[in-house]
Amino acid sequence: MLYKHSVNLHLATRSFSESSDKGWFRSLFVHKVDARKDAHSNLLSKKETSNLYKIQFHNVKPECLEAYNSLEAEVQNKLHQDQDYPCEVVGSWNTWYGEQDQAVHLWRYRGGYPALTECLKKLNINKEYLEFRKERAKMLISRRNQLLLEFSFWNEPLPRPGPNIYEMRTYHLKPGTMIEWGNRWARAIKYRQENNEAVGGFFSQIGDLYVVHHLWAYENLQSRENTRNSAWLKEGWDVNVYYTVPLIRSMESRIMIPTKSSPLQ
């Protein structure tokens, strides 16, 4: 019995030692992210601006999409051009591939949350806008929105001529991984600038959390394929993909066509 006990103890000690050695060896190669002492919104967003973005997803009754686009364009133009409202439409699209009969709108509030609050207060007493909302409601199946900040290392989305198609790639990240995502993409964005395809990069603050939206512009679907394939020929792009894929819970791609009134064409 004493001999058996000694053998078991020896095996257990050996197993523990091997496990510790493997753990020590593995730790040399595991990517670690240091603990942060600030919100990721402060660490990842642009310090030189106080822009807040709102993205809207409107699912429209199929028979109403054309009338919806016309109505939305009319109201957007009025708000966009009215200096009393501290907001501007960045882009408006209809989804081509993805959720069908869907409209996507991206707004910018220069001045952050105070600008958003000021705008909402004014709209809530604007009779013309309230009538627009009633008319629009008749055309909708559902709607949702998010408030976003832009990544510091991405381009600020500016008006561009067309014709282009746009891809919005949406990533739902694992909680706690936004800093690592930002660190990786701060290096990786340089691989995706040659064809001027990078439009904007955003992360959610209110609504679904730990959500990232990357917005890209291409001449057509073939141009999209060629541009994406060329990234794989650049040394370092594969490393970015290797480290960011494990951070993702789910992802989605929308191919979108800009509406006639969209500043992003």
Side-chain angles (χ1 to χ4, degrees):
M1 289 293 292
L2 181 61
Y3 172 75
K4 184 176 182 181
H5 176 72
S6 299
V7 170
N8 289 341
L9 181 60
H10 172 72
L11 291 174
T13 303
R14 177 182 171 187
S15 175
F16 175 78
S17 176
E18 290 177 350
S19 177
S20 299
D21 290 343
K22 288 179 181 178
W24 172 83
F25 183 75
R26 190 182 296 115
S27 70
L28 296 177
F29 299 95
V30 172
H31 179 70
K32 294 182 178 179
V33 179
D34 297 333
R36 294 305 198 273
K37 296 182 179 180
D38 201 355
H40 65 244
S41 58
N42 294 331
L43 295 167
L44 296 174
S45 61
K46 292 182 178 178
K47 300 294 188 297
E48 64 275 16
T49 67
S50 56
N51 292 338
L52 180 69
Y53 290 82
K54 178 174 71 175
I55 191 167
Q56 298 173 305
F57 300 95
H58 291 175
N59 292 315
V60 185
K61 295 176 182 177
E63 68 274 15
C64 297
L65 187 59
E66 186 174 345
Y68 167 91
N69 284 338
S70 298
L71 183 63
E72 191 74 40
E74 180 183 348
V75 174
Q76 283 182 0
N77 288 336
K78 288 181 179 179
L79 292 178
H80 188 78
Q81 296 170 7
D82 193 333
Q83 297 299 314
D84 286 337
Y85 291 90
C87 64
E88 55 188 338
V89 60
V90 176
S92 285
W93 304 266
N94 291 146
T95 300
W96 186 21
Y97 289 102
E99 282 195 67
Q100 297 293 283
D101 304 307
Q102 185 182 71
V104 180
H105 309 293
L106 183 63
W107 293 84
R108 181 192 290 118
Y109 297 86
R110 295 194 183 273
Y113 290 108
L116 173 66
T117 301
E118 179 187 351
C119 193
L120 292 178
K121 284 182 178 178
K122 290 180 176 179
L123 289 176
N124 285 334
I125 58 174
N126 184 322
K127 292 182 179 180
E128 186 179 8
Y129 180 75
L130 295 176
E131 286 301 316
F132 153 72
R133 291 195 63 178
K134 289 180 182 178
E135 190 63 27
R136 186 185 66 181
K138 301 174 185 176
M139 306 177 183
L140 296 180
I141 298 172
S142 64
R143 60 194 180 101
R144 62 186 177 89
N145 59 23
Q146 292 175 325
L147 294 181
L148 314 170
L149 294 177
E150 57 186 328
F151 284 110
S152 60
F153 48 85
W154 268 80
N155 319 33
E156 181 174 346
L158 299 173
R160 65 170 66 196
N164 294 295
I165 63 170
Y166 288 80
E167 180 178 21
M168 180 173 289
R169 295 178 72 86
T170 299
Y171 303 89
H172 297 261
L173 304 185
K174 298 173 183 177
T177 61
M178 188 66 73
I179 294 294
E180 186 172 2
W181 180 274
N183 287 341
R184 287 290 166 188
W185 267 97
R187 303 183 186 98
I189 191 63
K190 64 182 180 182
Y191 302 112
R192 299 296 310 276
Q193 297 279 14
E194 282 187 7
N195 294 327
N196 195 32
E197 69 267 28
V199 178
F202 312 91
F203 58 98
S204 62
Q205 283 291 283
I206 296 178
D208 290 339
L209 297 179
Y210 284 95
V211 176
V212 169
H213 301 288
H214 289 176
L215 186 60
W216 309 93
Y218 305 101
E219 290 183 8
N220 49 51
L221 288 174
Q222 186 61 54
S223 170
R224 170 186 177 272
E225 182 177 4
N226 295 342
T227 300
R228 288 176 56 80
N229 286 343
S230 68
W232 287 97
L233 303 178
K234 300 168 185 172
E235 185 177 357
W237 175 252
D238 57 334
V239 175
N240 175 65
V241 174
Y242 176 82
Y243 279 113
T244 55
V245 166
L247 310 179
I248 301 170
R249 289 191 294 114
S250 64
M251 57 187 293
E252 178 183 5
S253 170
R254 286 180 178 81
I255 301 297
M256 309 183 300
I257 305 296
T259 61
K260 294 178 181 179
S261 60
S262 175
L264 287 168
Q265 285 294 310

